[in-house]
Amino acid sequence: MGVRVAVIPIGGEAVRLRPLTVETSKAMIRILNRPLAEFTIVNLARQGIEEIIMGVRGYYNYKDVYDYFGEGYWLEREYGIKVRLRYMPRAETRGNAEAVKISLEYYNIREPVLVVQGDNLFEIDLDSFYKVHEANKAFMTIALKEEERVEEFGVAAIDERMRILKFVEKPKRREDAPSNLVNTGLYLLSEDFLNFFEGEVGSKLYQEGLMDFGSNVIPAAISAGLPVYGYVTKGFWFDVGSPERYLKAALYLLNNLSPSDLASEEILPRIFVQGTSPESLALKRELRERINSGDIQVEGSVLIGRHVKIGRGVRLENAVIDNYTVIGDGAEIVDSVVMDRSVVGARARIEGSIVGRHCLVGEDVRLAGSVLGNDVTVGNKAVLVNVKVWPHKAVGSDVRLENFALT
C-alpha cells in the first residue's frame, strides 16, 4: 500500500509573484492555460492519491480555490481520475506545518501523508519516493533536487545512507553549501507526525509559533535525532515564486511536456492547440493551413487555447496564448505568456513578458521583460521595458516606462 492522502498548504499573499497575485491565490495563477494547482492535483491523482486536503489560509486563497475546484468530482469527467478534495477549516496558521497539523487533526488522519507546496510544479515518482520512506522507517522523507544555483534554497547535508544531518538555509556562497541537493518542499510524513507536537520538542515549537517546515520543524526534528531522510528526484521541479520563475517554468514545460500533458492536440510539430468542440476542430484546421501557408509564422513551441483569434502576419515563438484571446495583424509574441480574454493590438511586440487576464494591449506597443496584472490597459505605441503593472491600471498612449512598478 502506498501513500493515499496529500496536503497542499496554500497560505500567504505571494508578495514576490505580484502583480499576478494581487487579487489571485498563487495556486490559481493560470499557467499553460490552466490553474497552477490543477497540474499538481492531476499529477498526484494519476499516481494513486485518493484524497487531497487544500490547506488554504485567508479569504482569497479559499474562495479562489474552492470556487474553481469544489470537491473535485468534475476532475473525473475531465481527466478520468478519481480524487476527493477537502479543505482546511478557517484558522490562522503560523506556517505551512501548522496548516498540515490542523488539516490532519480536523479529518482525524493518522497515516502516512504527502505534503506538496501550492506554488510548485514538479514531476516525481511517488511509488519510489514512498518505498524509500518505508525502507528507512523515516519520521520524514524530503524530496531533494540537484541544483546548480543553490544560494536560493535550503541545501541538505547528508550521510552515505541519505540521512539528512542538517540544512544550510540559503548559503551566501556556493562553497558554503554542503552539497548540491536542495529542499523541494515535497515531504512524506509518517503516521507519527501529529505525535511530534505532543512531545517536548514539537510542543515547544507550537507554543512559540515556529511552525514552518523548512525553518523550524525539519531542523528541530533532525536535532532531536528523529530519522529524516532524503530522496533525490530526477524529474523537473519549479518553485513558481516570482514572475521570472513563472516564465521560466512555463517555457520549460511548453518545450518538454507531451500533447496530453498540455491537454491539447499537436497539429504541427511543437504546435499545440486545445479544445475538442466542433469550433475548436475547425480552428485547428484553419491554423494548420495558415501556418503551412506562412500567413502565421511559428517558431519553437506554441500552445494555443480555445476560441483564439489570430490576425494575418502574426509571429509566435515559444508562446502561450490562452482562451478567448484576440491577436491583431502583424503582432509578435516571443518567449511570453498571454492569459485568457486579452487583446493584443496590431503590430504589438511582446517579448519575455507576461500579460495577465482580460488585458488590452494597444497597437504598436512594445513590452519587454514586463508583467501586466489582470485587467490592465496599455495605450497605443507605449513602450514598457522591465515594468510591472498592478491590476486595473492604465498606461497611456505613447508613454515610455523602464524599470518601474505601476501600483
Side-chain angles (χ1 to χ4, degrees):
M1 177 185 161
V3 62
R4 196 186 62 82
V5 179
V7 181
I8 306 178
I10 303 168
E13 298 175 11
V15 172
R16 291 180 302 141
L17 250 177
R18 289 179 177 173
L20 301 177
T21 50
V22 172
E23 300 174 332
T24 306
S25 167
K26 62 185 173 185
M28 298 304 295
I29 296 298
R30 290 182 72 77
I31 189 165
L32 300 174
N33 302 354
R34 280 176 285 172
L36 194 154
E38 193 165 326
F39 285 88
T40 297
I41 290 167
V42 173
N43 175 4
L44 297 181
R46 283 177 172 164
Q47 295 195 72
I49 293 290
E50 299 171 12
E51 188 173 315
I52 297 175
I53 303 171
M54 310 299 274
V56 286
R57 177 168 72 86
Y59 173 71
Y60 277 119
N61 281 324
Y62 170 69
K63 183 180 183 300
D64 281 4
V65 175
Y66 182 81
D67 287 357
Y68 181 85
F69 286 109
E71 269 76 41
Y73 299 119
W74 62 272
L75 291 163
E76 183 174 8
R77 181 188 70 245
E78 192 75 18
Y79 294 101
I81 55 175
K82 280 191 175 181
V83 62
R84 181 174 185 178
L85 301 186
R86 290 173 163 174
Y87 296 82
M88 183 180 86
R90 179 177 176 175
E92 283 307 311
T93 58
R94 299 161 296 176
N96 52 14
E98 188 162 17
V100 173
K101 178 179 183 291
I102 289 169
S103 298
L104 299 184
E105 287 174 339
Y106 190 72
Y107 292 107
N108 193 29
I109 292 170
R110 300 269 180 169
E111 61 182 276
V113 168
L114 174 71
V115 176
V116 307
Q117 306 309 312
D119 56 358
N120 283 3
L121 285 167
F122 59 89
E123 178 183 51
I124 194 167
D125 182 342
L126 200 49
D127 187 50
S128 173
F129 190 19
Y130 183 71
K131 282 176 179 171
V132 168
H133 178 72
E134 281 284 281
N136 288 318
K137 295 184 169 50
F139 168 71
M140 185 174 187
T141 305
I142 300 170
L144 305 173
K145 178 80 178 148
E146 292 180 358
E147 286 283 333
E148 287 303 311
R149 297 184 61 186
V150 298
E151 296 84 358
E152 300 174 30
F153 306 104
V155 185
I158 52 173
D159 68 15
E160 65 280 359
R161 293 184 57 245
M162 291 297 293
R163 184 161 179 164
I164 298 175
L165 307 175
K166 66 173 181 176
F167 274 109
V168 176
E169 197 63 41
K170 296 182 180 175
K172 288 190 173 59
R173 301 176 304 165
R174 180 67 183 83
E175 51 267 35
D176 295 334
S179 72
N180 67 339
L181 298 172
V182 305
N183 177 8
T184 64
L186 302 173
Y187 310 132
L188 272 173
L189 309 178
S190 78
E191 57 271 22
D192 295 327
F193 177 72
L194 289 179
N195 295 339
F196 172 72
F197 294 100
E198 295 168 10
E200 183 182 347
V201 175
S203 61
K204 188 169 186 288
L205 289 178
Y206 182 75
Q207 286 160 14
E208 295 176 3
L210 303 174
M211 293 296 288
D212 180 78
F213 273 113
S215 303
N216 313 126
V217 174
I218 294 170
I222 292 169
S223 296
L226 290 171
V228 178
Y229 281 84
Y231 167 84
V232 180
T233 176
K234 299 297 184 186
F236 65 78
W237 169 73
F238 292 97
D239 168 10
V240 188
S242 66
E244 295 74 23
R245 287 186 185 168
Y246 168 99
L247 199 54
K248 181 181 177 183
L251 295 179
Y252 173 89
L253 296 174
L254 175 64
N255 280 287
N256 287 278
L257 290 184
S258 68
S260 63
D261 287 331
L262 292 168
S264 66
E265 180 186 342
E266 191 172 13
I267 63 165
L268 289 166
R270 302 308 303 172
I271 300 172
F272 307 99
V273 184
Q274 297 176 312
T276 56
S277 69
E279 295 88 348
S280 292
L281 297 178
L283 177 62
K284 290 174 183 179
R285 288 192 295 273
E286 178 201 325
L287 289 173
R288 190 184 291 114
E289 290 168 7
R290 293 179 64 197
I291 292 167
N292 281 330
S293 72
D295 187 41
I296 300 171
Q297 297 176 47
V298 176
E299 295 178 51
S301 299
V302 170
L303 175 65
I304 297 172
R306 298 166 178 83
H307 308 293
V308 169
K309 301 287 185 188
I310 300 179
R312 303 194 65 179
V314 167
R315 179 171 172 264
L316 304 174
E317 180 180 346
N318 294 321
V320 178
I321 312 299
D322 206 343
N323 307 329
Y324 315 113
T325 290
V326 178
I327 302 173
D329 294 347
E332 291 185 76
I333 301 172
V334 178
D335 296 330
S336 297
V337 171
V338 178
M339 293 187 195
D340 55 327
R341 206 171 183 241
S342 289
V343 174
V344 176
R347 300 171 303 283
R349 179 174 171 84
I350 298 171
E351 184 172 4
S353 297
I354 304 166
V355 175
R357 311 179 71 179
H358 191 81
C359 287
L360 175 58
V361 177
E363 296 182 355
D364 300 296
V365 164
R366 298 289 179 268
L367 294 182
S370 295
V371 186
L372 307 185
N374 297 340
D375 190 35
V376 165
T377 301
V378 180
N380 296 340
K381 298 185 179 178
V383 177
L384 278 63
V385 179
N386 193 24
V387 171
K388 293 180 178 178
V389 184
W390 259 233
H392 318 302
K393 298 291 183 182
V395 177
S397 298
D398 299 299
V399 169
R400 182 180 180 92
L401 296 174
E402 286 193 46
N403 304 314
F404 189 77
L406 181 60
T407 60

Coordinates of all heavy atoms in Angstrom, one line a residue, residues 20 30 45 53 70 72 144 152 167 171 185 191-192 197 205 216 253 289 291 301 315 333 338 355 405:
L20 N 0.8 39.4 -10.4 CA -0.1 38.3 -10.8 C -1.0 37.9 -9.6 O -2.0 37.3 -9.8 CB 0.7 37.2 -11.3 CG 1.6 37.4 -12.5 CD1 2.4 36.2 -12.9 CD2 0.8 37.9 -13.7
R30 N -2.9 31.3 -13.7 CA -3.0 30.4 -14.9 C -1.6 30.2 -15.5 O -0.9 31.2 -15.7 CB -4.0 31.1 -15.9 CG -5.4 31.0 -15.4 CD -6.3 31.6 -16.5 NE -6.5 30.8 -17.7 CZ -7.3 29.7 -17.7 NH1 -7.9 29.3 -16.7 NH2 -7.4 29.0 -18.9
A45 N -3.2 12.5 -8.4 CA -4.3 11.5 -8.6 C -3.9 10.4 -9.5 O -4.3 9.3 -9.3 CB -5.5 12.3 -9.0
I53 N -6.2 17.4 0.7 CA -6.7 18.4 1.6 C -6.0 19.7 1.2 O -4.7 19.8 1.2 CB -6.4 18.1 3.1 CG1 -7.0 16.8 3.5 CG2 -7.0 19.2 4.0 CD1 -6.6 16.3 4.9
G70 N -14.0 23.0 -6.2 CA -15.1 22.4 -5.4 C -14.6 21.1 -4.7 O -13.4 21.1 -4.2
G72 N -14.0 18.4 -6.4 CA -13.1 17.7 -7.3 C -13.8 16.7 -8.2 O -13.1 16.0 -8.9
L144 N 14.7 15.8 -2.6 CA 15.8 16.7 -2.9 C 16.0 16.7 -4.4 O 15.8 15.8 -5.1 CB 17.1 16.2 -2.2 CG 17.0 16.0 -0.7 CD1 18.3 15.4 -0.1 CD2 16.7 17.3 0.1
E152 N 19.6 30.0 -3.3 CA 18.2 30.5 -3.1 C 17.4 29.5 -2.2 O 16.3 29.7 -1.9 CB 17.5 30.7 -4.4 CG 18.1 31.8 -5.3 CD 17.4 31.9 -6.6 OE1 16.2 31.6 -6.7 OE2 18.1 32.2 -7.6
F167 N 20.2 21.2 7.4 CA 20.0 22.1 6.2 C 20.8 23.4 6.4 O 20.8 24.0 7.5 CB 18.6 22.4 6.0 CG 17.8 21.4 5.2 CD1 16.9 20.6 5.8 CD2 18.0 21.3 3.8 CE1 16.2 19.7 5.0 CE2 17.4 20.3 3.1 CZ 16.4 19.5 3.7
P171 N 22.6 29.4 1.5 CA 24.1 29.7 1.7 C 24.5 30.9 0.8 O 24.1 31.0 -0.4 CB 24.8 28.5 1.3 CG 23.8 27.7 0.4 CD 22.5 28.1 0.9
G185 N 10.5 21.1 -0.9 CA 9.2 21.3 -0.2 C 8.2 20.2 -0.5 O 7.1 20.3 -0.1
E191 N 3.1 8.3 10.0 CA 1.8 8.4 10.8 C 2.0 9.0 12.2 O 1.0 9.3 12.9 CB 1.1 7.0 10.9 CG 2.0 6.0 11.5 CD 2.9 5.2 10.5 OE1 3.1 5.8 9.4 OE2 3.3 4.1 10.8
D192 N 3.3 9.1 12.6 CA 3.6 9.7 13.9 C 3.7 11.2 13.9 O 4.1 11.8 14.9 CB 4.9 9.1 14.5 CG 4.7 7.6 14.7 OD1 3.6 7.2 15.1 OD2 5.7 6.9 14.6
F197 N 4.1 16.8 17.9 CA 3.7 18.1 18.5 C 3.2 17.9 20.0 O 2.9 18.8 20.7 CB 2.7 18.8 17.7 CG 3.3 19.3 16.4 CD1 3.1 18.6 15.2 CD2 4.1 20.4 16.3 CE1 3.6 19.0 14.0 CE2 4.7 20.8 15.2 CZ 4.5 20.1 14.0
L205 N 7.9 24.2 19.8 CA 7.7 24.9 18.6 C 6.3 25.5 18.4 O 6.2 26.6 18.0 CB 8.0 23.9 17.4 CG 9.4 23.5 17.2 CD1 9.5 22.5 16.0 CD2 10.4 24.6 16.9
N216 N 11.8 25.7 10.8 CA 11.6 25.3 12.2 C 11.5 23.8 12.4 O 12.3 23.2 13.1 CB 10.4 26.0 12.7 CG 10.3 27.4 12.4 OD1 9.3 27.9 11.9 ND2 11.3 28.2 12.8
L253 N 8.2 23.9 -19.5 CA 7.2 22.8 -19.7 C 6.6 22.9 -21.1 O 6.3 21.8 -21.7 CB 6.1 23.1 -18.6 CG 6.5 22.9 -17.2 CD1 5.4 23.3 -16.2 CD2 7.0 21.5 -16.9
E289 N -3.6 25.2 -41.8 CA -3.5 25.7 -43.1 C -2.7 27.1 -43.2 O -1.9 27.3 -44.0 CB -4.9 25.9 -43.7 CG -5.6 24.6 -44.0 CD -7.1 24.8 -44.3 OE1 -7.5 25.9 -44.5 OE2 -7.8 23.8 -44.5
I291 N -0.6 28.3 -41.0 CA 0.8 28.2 -40.6 C 1.6 27.6 -41.8 O 2.7 28.1 -42.2 CB 1.0 27.3 -39.4 CG1 0.4 28.1 -38.1 CG2 2.5 27.0 -39.1 CD1 0.3 27.2 -36.9
S301 N 8.1 26.2 -29.6 CA 6.9 25.6 -29.2 C 5.8 26.6 -28.9 O 6.1 27.7 -28.4 CB 7.1 24.8 -27.9 OG 8.1 23.8 -28.2
R315 N 3.5 36.6 -35.7 CA 4.6 35.8 -35.4 C 4.6 35.3 -34.0 O 4.5 36.1 -33.1 CB 5.9 36.5 -35.7 CG 7.2 35.7 -35.5 CD 8.4 36.3 -36.0 NE 9.6 35.6 -35.5 CZ 10.3 35.9 -34.4 NH1 10.0 36.9 -33.7 NH2 11.3 35.1 -34.1
I333 N 4.7 37.8 -30.6 CA 4.7 37.3 -29.2 C 5.8 36.3 -29.1 O 5.8 35.2 -29.7 CB 3.4 36.7 -28.8 CG1 2.3 37.8 -29.0 CG2 3.4 36.3 -27.3 CD1 0.9 37.3 -28.8
V338 N 0.4 35.0 -22.8 CA -0.7 35.9 -22.8 C -1.9 35.1 -22.2 O -2.3 34.1 -22.8 CB -1.0 36.4 -24.2 CG1 -2.3 37.3 -24.2 CG2 0.2 37.1 -24.8
V355 N 1.4 38.7 -19.9 CA 0.2 39.5 -19.9 C -0.9 38.8 -19.2 O -1.3 37.7 -19.5 CB -0.2 39.8 -21.4 CG1 -1.5 40.5 -21.5 CG2 0.9 40.5 -22.2
A405 N 7.5 50.1 -11.4 CA 6.3 49.4 -11.0 C 5.1 50.4 -10.8 O 5.3 51.3 -10.1 CB 6.5 48.7 -9.7

